[in-house]
Amino acid sequence: MSEVLTMDAPSASEAAAPAPVLEARALSKRYGDVEAVAGLDLRVGPSEIYCLLGPNGAGKTTTIHLFLGFIEPTGGSVHVTGLDVAAEPLESKRRLAYIPEQVMLYRNLSGLENLEYFAALGGRGSLAPQRLTDILVGAGLPPAAVRRRVSEYSKGMRQKVGVAIAIAKEADALLLDEPTSGLDPQASNEFSELLASLRDRGVAVLMATHDLFRAKESGTRVGIMRHGRLVTELSTDEIGHADLERIYLEHMHE
């Protein structure tokens, strides 16, 4: 009699889980004797805001740069909407938008002109000025600032142009590196509201930050990195601000 092999059916939660937009598989990056990222496994799905916490040198920025294809991994792989970044660098970049700590815009151009240029560069073609204006205002830029030179903008206003670029590009994922550093509390709160609006559009967000409060307020999940390793992951729905701070400090003192 032939033997019948059976497999357990996936659970309802497993079957319903969407494919990750961002995924790192056993990812590592070494510089000589220094392992900047060590065996990182990370998944960020659509409509998730994942906050990477950790001290300087923990590997947060390196992780962001690996997803962007700025550097090549020593081992493992990174994927954007299923695309291997190393194998398909150009196509994977089309799915991403990136906002660094200091958004690099053309200072002598207006917010509108910057958005028009970067939207076209991102492959979205030519958008009508009114559509571009609507995107900028929707990202929180004051209407009176749309045609002003970026050299006159505050950091918070430049960050809003960065968000507008992500919206115009229709990016599947947004990568952020310390985006609220140097912002006042009001501007930081406004930025969190913009992230929430992107999350509602289905965008996956991966944000490297030192700001535990903002990570708890904005994030759906947080991951704590130390010495290139992801030491724990937490759902923000399950912890309070004091809990997150306590857990973070415990891992820093280990």
Side-chain angles (χ1 to χ4, degrees), residues 99 115 132 135-137 139 159-169:
I99 301 180
L115 179 57
L132 294 170
I135 292 173
L136 285 165
V137 173
Q159 299 288 51
K160 290 170 182 176
V161 175
V163 171
I165 292 169
I167 294 171
K169 189 178 181 182

Side-chain angles (χ1 to χ4, degrees), residues 55-240:
N56 292 333
K60 305 186 303 297
T61 295
T62 301
T63 298
I64 296 288
H65 287 179
L66 285 162
F67 272 108
L68 289 163
F70 290 172
I71 54 178
E72 295 183 358
T74 305
S77 59
V78 278
H79 302 261
V80 177
T81 63
L83 299 172
D84 187 316
V85 171
E88 301 184 74
L90 294 179
E91 187 57 35
S92 63
K93 283 183 174 69
R94 291 191 182 98
R95 315 292 177 90
L96 298 172
Y98 172 50
I99 301 180
E101 183 174 352
Q102 298 294 335
V103 176
M104 302 303 293
L105 300 171
Y106 290 99
R107 294 174 55 84
N108 290 330
L109 298 181
S110 67
L112 180 63
E113 289 167 332
N114 269 279
L115 179 57
E116 181 180 24
Y117 173 76
F118 284 109
L121 193 65
R124 302 316 304 174
S126 179
L127 298 177
Q130 186 57 54
R131 173 60 181 150
L132 294 170
T133 298
D134 291 343
I135 292 173
L136 285 165
V137 173
L141 193 69
V146 167
R147 295 182 181 273
R148 279 167 39 199
R149 287 186 177 184
V150 165
S151 59
E152 302 175 25
Y153 286 10
S154 66
K155 178 178 180 180
M157 293 166 70
R158 293 195 301 272
Q159 299 288 51
K160 290 170 182 176
V161 175
V163 171
I165 292 169
I167 294 171
K169 189 178 181 182
E170 298 181 5
D172 295 297
L174 177 62
L175 303 175
L176 305 155
D177 195 358
E178 301 292 348
T180 59
S181 174
L183 295 183
D184 62 44
Q186 179 179 343
S188 184
N189 186 65
E190 289 174 351
F191 192 78
S192 292
E193 292 175 353
L194 289 175
L195 292 187
S197 70
L198 289 172
R199 180 196 62 210
D200 292 343
R201 294 169 180 258
V203 176
V205 178
L206 177 61
M207 176 168 68
T209 182
H210 287 102
D211 190 340
L212 272 66
F213 175 83
R214 196 55 56 191
K216 162 59 183 168
E217 289 297 300
S218 302
T220 53
R221 283 191 296 149
V222 297
I224 298 175
M225 292 189 75
R226 187 167 185 257
H227 300 318
R229 299 184 182 277
L230 188 64
V231 294
T232 193
E233 284 186 320
L234 303 161
S235 169
T236 56
D237 288 339
E238 299 172 354
I239 56 171

